[in-house]
Amino acid sequence: MKQFLSLILLFSSLFAVASEKVTFKAADGVEVVADLHMSHPKSAPLIVLFHQAGWSRGEYLEIAPTLNRLGYNCLAVDLRSGNLVNGIRNETHQHAKAQMRQTRYVDAHQDIEAAVSYAKSLTTGKLLIWGSSYSSALVIKYAGDNPDVIQAVLSFSPGEYFRSQGKPEDWITQSAKQITCPVFITSARNEKPNWEAIYEAIPVDGKMNFLPETLGNHGSSALWVRYDDHEAYWTAVVSFLKSLEK
């Protein structure tokens, strides 16, 4: 597995599949921008990728090609709560500001709803949602509130991040109780207390979690090749994705 994964990571960095920029509207009319990495037929599973706070779809510049190599199409989305990473400016944030819309974490939930709705038109296969930091909590909420829509969740460093924005202290945990699909949660080692109660609330057998032996890193960026422990995270992700094939 480790040798296979090392080859996948190498070839993904050398032969990244070109992406196409696409747009769709959120419920309040804000134009949401995303990169579509469509390297397989429509029948292949598709993963919708959401970034962490202050960032953009650029968080997935090297992650999406690896997922393509593993057999998945990807849609990397700019949420309105974000800014810049890896040289990619968050265009949804710019559009929301131009329309004088709020850009808090909670305001991005409607962008996730719009992205999933759009993604449903892109695949006849399984639909997965993947979040990083604040968006990793929002994808758990979406999965619990819409149990019949998606087939799996991957959540990198979730937590109850929304109390300062008027939400209950267990806002994510309450939705987690309604999840019916497999869920994968990971984070840096010291972040486990942020998501332990959320994970315990998920009532499905097909849930998995991973903590590295190292200190680890926050959010989906833990998978970036610049980090020495990135292969350990990738091994856990691949193991989860393989479990969905059974």
Side-chain angles (χ1 to χ4, degrees):
M1 167 73 83
K2 187 173 182 180
Q3 185 177 18
F4 167 75
L5 183 55
S6 296
L7 290 172
I8 288 288
L9 294 172
L10 173 64
F11 284 115
S12 296
S13 62
L14 294 177
F15 304 106
V17 177
S19 63
E20 173 192 1
K21 188 163 77 172
V22 297
T23 62
F24 45 89
K25 293 289 183 70
D28 65 351
V30 169
E31 185 175 66
V32 179
V33 176
D35 285 337
L36 178 60
H37 301 259
M38 198 84 173
S39 61
H40 303 284
K42 195 173 181 179
S43 57
L46 184 143
I47 305 178
V48 190
L49 304 162
F50 303 106
H51 58 79
Q52 65 177 268
W55 285 8
S56 72
R57 65 194 192 276
E59 184 170 2
Y60 296 98
L61 279 180
E62 68 179 67
I63 295 173
T66 301
L67 293 171
N68 282 162
R69 293 284 171 183
L70 290 169
Y72 294 83
N73 292 319
C74 298
L75 183 70
V77 182
D78 274 351
L79 300 173
R80 69 185 63 194
S81 184
N83 193 2
L84 174 73
V85 70
N86 291 333
I88 305 296
R89 182 72 62 183
N90 188 316
E91 296 181 60
T92 305
H93 176 78
Q94 293 177 318
H95 294 156
K97 284 293 188 182
Q99 292 183 230
M100 301 182 69
R101 305 293 189 185
Q102 288 191 304
T103 57
R104 302 170 301 168
Y105 298 164
V106 294
D107 302 310
H109 190 261
Q110 62 191 301
D111 303 333
I112 288 177
E113 292 176 323
V116 173
S117 179
Y118 177 76
K120 287 169 63 178
S121 70
L122 301 174
T123 183
T124 58
K126 291 182 178 180
L127 182 60
L128 293 71
I129 52 177
W130 170 318
S132 177
S133 191
Y134 87 90
S135 73
S136 75
L138 290 179
V139 295
I140 289 173
K141 177 167 180 57
Y142 182 91
D145 294 349
N146 303 273
D148 299 323
V149 177
I150 51 97
Q151 282 70 61
V153 177
L154 294 95
S155 178
F156 289 71
S157 302
E160 295 284 359
Y161 299 128
F162 309 94
R163 283 168 286 190
S164 64
Q165 299 176 15
K167 298 302 181 183
E169 62 180 14
D170 61 349
W171 193 49
I172 303 303
T173 304
Q174 288 301 317
S175 293
K177 294 178 180 179
Q178 310 304 317
I179 290 178
T180 59
C181 67
V183 177
F184 172 81
I185 293 181
T186 189
S187 70
R189 286 196 67 85
N190 66 358
E191 294 177 322
K192 184 179 181 181
N194 295 342
W195 53 261
E196 196 165 18
I198 296 171
Y199 184 79
E200 291 300 322
I202 298 170
V204 300
D205 293 332
K207 63 181 180 180
M208 295 175 57
N209 71 85
F210 169 75
L211 286 175
E213 295 181 3
T214 56
L215 294 177
N217 291 284
H218 180 75
S220 298
S221 61
L223 297 169
W224 292 354
V225 295
R226 70 185 65 174
Y227 297 121
D228 292 339
D229 54 2
H230 72 280
E231 283 197 21
Y233 281 98
W234 270 115
T235 299
V237 168
V238 170
S239 178
F240 176 73
L241 294 176
K242 290 290 185 183
S243 75
L244 302 179
E245 298 173 3
K246 297 177 181 177

